[in-house]
Structure formats: C-alpha cells, structure tokens
C-alpha cells in the first residue's frame, strides 16, 4: 500500500512541472520565480539524478531526469528574459 | 559518497522553497505559477510525507514536511489572490 503512495507521489511531483513549463513557455513570464528557488531546485534535482543513477534506482533516476529537463526549460526562459533586459 | 550526494540533494530541493516563499510573501504575485503545478506538487509532497512517516524514513519525512509547509503558504497566497479578483 505505501509503495503505491510513493509511486503516486513520484508521478505527481514530476508531472507537476509539465503544466508549469507549458504556462511559462506560452507567457515567457518568469518574474514570480525566484532565481534562488530555480537554481537550488535544479541543482538539487540534478544531484538526485546522480544519486539515482549511481544507486541504480530507476524511479529516482526517471523522476528526477524528467524534472531536470523541465527545470532546464524554466532556467533557459528566465535566463533569456534576464539577458534581454540587460 | 553517494549518501552525501543524496543528503545534499534533499537539503537543496527543500531549502529551495524558502527564497520562493519569501519572494512571493513580499510581492504577493503568483500569476506566473500554474495552478496545476502548485496543486499537483503540494499533493505529491504531502503523499511523500505520508510515505516517509509510514516507513519511518526521517529524511523523507523532514524534507517533505518542510516543503509541504512552504507550498501551503504559496497555495494560501495564490488562493487569496484568486478570491480577491472574483
């Protein structure tokens, strides 16, 4: 039972970033996102990815791999906005 | 070594929400945050909290407990904005 809860949690916390990436891609607006949040989360998720690969934990690897890609898109858009304003 | 990476990842992905909560508390601006992202992530993190408690995994419980509190603040602010505009 609790494994199921863990799997649902992993899917939700990963899939959650899809609508956020779609919204941000459409609006190109990232002002409400804190740079610290975005960079800390992206680095943290990348480390979870390394942790998952090195321990052969497929769920951790898959979930954080997908989340890392989503966060990279957000970092790209927020960086583009920053450079465009300089 | 890889346990250290996991611990750093857990701290980063949790602590990342502090600057975001501080920014949102100051600006009260949540337009760039997708409702789907916020609700899915909050529910997912809550399930990770249940998973951590039920499996007596202190790191999972602590990290997701803190993250859940942070997300609850973001949900509160976004909901207040929504109700204020109705």
């Amino acid at each position: 039972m609790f494994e199921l809860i863990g799997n649902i949690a992993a899917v939700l916390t990963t899939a959650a970033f899809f609508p956020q990436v779609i919204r941000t891609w459409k609006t190109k607006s990232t002002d409400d996102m804190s740079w610290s949040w975005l960079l800390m989360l992206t680095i943290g998720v990348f480390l979870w990815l390394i942790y998952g690969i090195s321990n052969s934990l497929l769920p951790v690897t898959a979930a954080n791999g997908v989340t890392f890609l989503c966060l990279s898109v957000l970092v790209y858009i927020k960086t583009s906005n920053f450079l465009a304003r300089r």
Side-chain angles (χ1 to χ4, degrees), chain A:
Chain A
M1 165 65 177
F2 291 118
E3 280 315 303
L4 178 64
I5 287 178
N7 291 333
I8 296 172
V11 168
L12 276 174
T13 49
T14 303
F17 283 91
F18 293 155
Q20 184 61 60
V21 168
I22 291 166
R23 179 186 186 84
T24 306
W25 189 263
K26 280 183 196 167
T27 65
K28 295 292 190 282
S29 177
T30 57
D31 289 347
D32 292 339
M33 293 176 199
S34 142
W35 268 114
S36 315
W37 168 75
L38 193 52
L39 294 179
M40 285 170 75
L41 194 60
T42 304
I43 296 166
V45 163
F46 182 73
L47 289 179
W48 274 128
L49 181 58
I50 301 297
Y51 179 83
I53 293 169
S54 51
N55 288 293
S56 309
L57 297 169
L58 182 58
V60 176
T61 305
N64 288 283
V66 169
T67 307
F68 180 72
L69 289 178
C70 289
L71 287 168
S72 303
V73 173
L74 299 182
V75 169
Y76 167 75
I77 296 172
K78 193 158 172 86
T79 306
S80 310
N81 287 344
F82 173 74
L83 295 175
R85 285 185 193 153
R86 272 193 354 164

